[in-house]
């Protein structure tokens, strides 16, 4: 019980440090964020996901982020979108900190199971906190929380997906990891590579552990990715006549 209380207070202190770190960059907004905000505003007003009326050019690379702000602007047209971007980014960053803590402890548990002689050592007990400390004091981590861009959301979705991947392989249970990783691919193009890497690695792991679980996982993961990626790519081809954003060229 004392150990759990100590861990809680350490995480609380690191959360406060991260918030202070974020506050020091609060005035910063990345210029590129306003490109996405314009697309969001036009979509919310009924013009469509375009920068200029009638020009079907995909000038953004953060579809899900753009869609979120379109919904917010549709619900509240007078919304301070820059402030909303900072608040949402900060919220995602805090969630990432807690997810990274969970992931660190899962990895520590895996080390314990393989090396029992280190199970009760002080270093092994508090080793997971070193990664969290690095996050809490990292200036780039804090800066991207308030930039107005999708980086914070992208990081949260990837971390959530990896946390669930670890649990799914370890406990051989069902998890929505593929859903989070698919959403990361809608948030940033490179999310496709992360989702693909997870898909391959996880199913290879299941193939080695349990063939029955492998077939179930393969069917479930393939279905989820197909239901998300196929409509998304179809929309891009139909509306923008290309699967790659304009910035690719």
């Amino acid at each position: 019980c004392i150990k759990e209380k100590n861990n809680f207070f350490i995480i609380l202190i690191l959360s406060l440090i991260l918030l202070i770190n974020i506050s020091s960059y609060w005035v910063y907004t990345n210029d590129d964020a306003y490109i996405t905000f314009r697309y969001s505003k036009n979509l919310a007003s009924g013009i469509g996901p375009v920068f200029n009326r009638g020009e079907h050019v995909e000038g953004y690379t953060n579809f899900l982020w753009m869609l979120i702000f379109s919904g917010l602007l549709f619900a509240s047209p007078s919304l301070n979108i820059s402030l909303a971007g900072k608040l949402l980014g900060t919220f995602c960053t805090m969630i990432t900190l807690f997810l990274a803590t969970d992931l660190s402890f899962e990895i520590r548990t895996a080390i314990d199971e393989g090396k029992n002689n280190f199970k009760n050592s002080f270093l092994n007990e508090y080793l997971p906190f070193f990664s969290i400390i690095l996050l809490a004091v990292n200036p780039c981590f804090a800066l991207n929380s308030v930039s107005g861009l999708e980086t914070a959301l992208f990081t949260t979705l990837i971390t959530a997906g990896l946390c669930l991947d670890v649990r799914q392989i370890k406990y051989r249970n069902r998890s929505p990891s593929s859903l989070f990783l698919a959403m990361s691919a809608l948030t940033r193009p490179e999310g496709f590579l992360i989702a693909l890497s997870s898909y391959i690695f996880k199913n290879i792991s299941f193939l080695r552990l349990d063939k029955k679980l492998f077939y179930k996982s393969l069917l479930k993961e393939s279905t989820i990715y197909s239901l998300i990626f196929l409509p998304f790519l179809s929309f891009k081809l139909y509306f923008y006549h290309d699967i790659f954003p304009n910035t690719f060229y």
Side-chain angles (χ1 to χ4, degrees), residues 118-138:
F118 291 106
K119 189 173 290 187
N120 297 317
S121 69
F122 175 85
L123 179 62
N124 190 50
E125 177 62 32
Y126 291 100
L127 187 62
F129 289 110
F130 286 107
S131 60
I132 314 306
I133 291 171
L134 292 175
L135 275 180
V137 300
N138 190 308

Side-chain angles (χ1 to χ4, degrees), residues 62 192 218 243:
N62 46 15
F192 281 103
L218 190 67
I243 61 173

Side-chain angles (χ1 to χ4, degrees), residues 133-168:
I133 291 171
L134 292 175
L135 275 180
V137 300
N138 190 308
C140 293
F141 191 53
L143 181 70
N144 282 296
S145 304
V146 296
S147 67
L149 288 172
E150 73 287 346
T151 310
L153 174 63
F154 183 59
T155 307
T156 301
L157 293 172
I158 291 174
T159 309
L162 293 178
C163 282
L164 292 170
D165 270 350
V166 170
R167 289 181 178 273
Q168 189 174 3

Side-chain angles (χ1 to χ4, degrees), residues 33-95:
Y34 291 99
I35 297 174
T36 302
F37 294 160
R38 183 178 174 95
Y39 275 88
S40 298
K41 183 178 180 180
N42 285 340
L43 179 57
S45 62
I47 297 173
V50 295
F51 192 82
N52 294 318
R53 185 187 294 269
E55 296 180 0
H56 290 205
V57 178
E58 187 182 5
Y60 59 90
T61 57
N62 46 15
F63 177 77
L64 184 59
W65 189 249
M66 184 273 295
L67 209 59
I68 289 171
F69 284 98
S70 295
L72 292 175
L73 286 168
F74 181 79
S76 178
S78 61
L79 176 74
N80 184 334
I81 195 168
S82 179
L83 177 60
K86 293 177 184 293
L87 292 174
L88 183 56
T90 299
F91 174 75
C92 289
T93 295
M94 299 308 298
I95 295 297

Side-chain angles (χ1 to χ4, degrees), residues 186 192 228-238 242-243:
L186 300 185
F192 281 103
I228 292 176
F229 290 154
L230 290 179
F232 175 57
L233 294 175
S234 298
F235 160 74
K236 286 163 70 74
L237 281 172
Y238 172 76
D242 202 334
I243 61 173

Side-chain angles (χ1 to χ4, degrees), residues 105-106 109-110 113 165-173:
F105 275 98
E106 284 292 338
T109 302
E113 293 172 353
D165 270 350
V166 170
R167 289 181 178 273
Q168 189 174 3
I169 295 172
K170 182 178 179 181
Y171 302 111
R172 304 185 189 184
N173 59 5

